[in-house]
Amino acid sequence: MGMYLPCLGGPGNDLFTTPDRETRRLELAEAAEKRQKETTYRGVKNPQAVERNKKNKEMEKQEMRPSPPGGGGGMKWQVG
């Protein structure tokens, strides 16, 4: 009674097409990144300020670390 099935060649043949695997993978990756950003900054009015504060704290931590004995840098000069 008016019901067309896709297997019988009715109008259901072109209703739904699946994208190829690479396109689907890219869409899923983008959606995951978007969800992660949203959850990271949930309730934060200015996310850029939060990032700047994190970077500043990391810089301060690195400046406060004592340098290793021998001048640091990891390179040794040999004169010979």
Side-chain angles (χ1 to χ4, degrees):
M1 291 204 244
M3 188 169 113
Y4 294 100
L5 299 175
C7 61
L8 298 177
N13 286 343
D14 59 350
L15 290 179
F16 181 73
T17 57
T18 57
D20 63 340
R21 289 184 180 199
E22 185 66 22
T23 304
R24 183 72 178 146
R25 186 187 67 77
L26 289 173
E27 289 174 353
L28 289 173
E30 289 172 2
E33 287 178 17
K34 182 180 176 182
R35 280 192 310 272
Q36 187 175 17
K37 278 186 176 182
E38 288 174 354
T39 58
T40 301
Y41 297 118
R42 174 175 260 154
V44 178
K45 290 183 180 179
N46 191 353
Q48 289 86 10
V50 172
E51 286 295 321
R52 281 194 305 266
N53 286 340
K54 284 181 184 179
K55 287 180 183 177
N56 289 340
K57 286 180 183 179
E58 283 295 319
M59 297 274 288
E60 288 175 5
K61 283 182 184 178
Q62 285 186 354
E63 289 174 359
M64 294 303 237
R65 287 185 191 152
S67 62
M75 297 182 71
K76 295 180 181 178
W77 289 89
Q78 293 181 351
V79 179

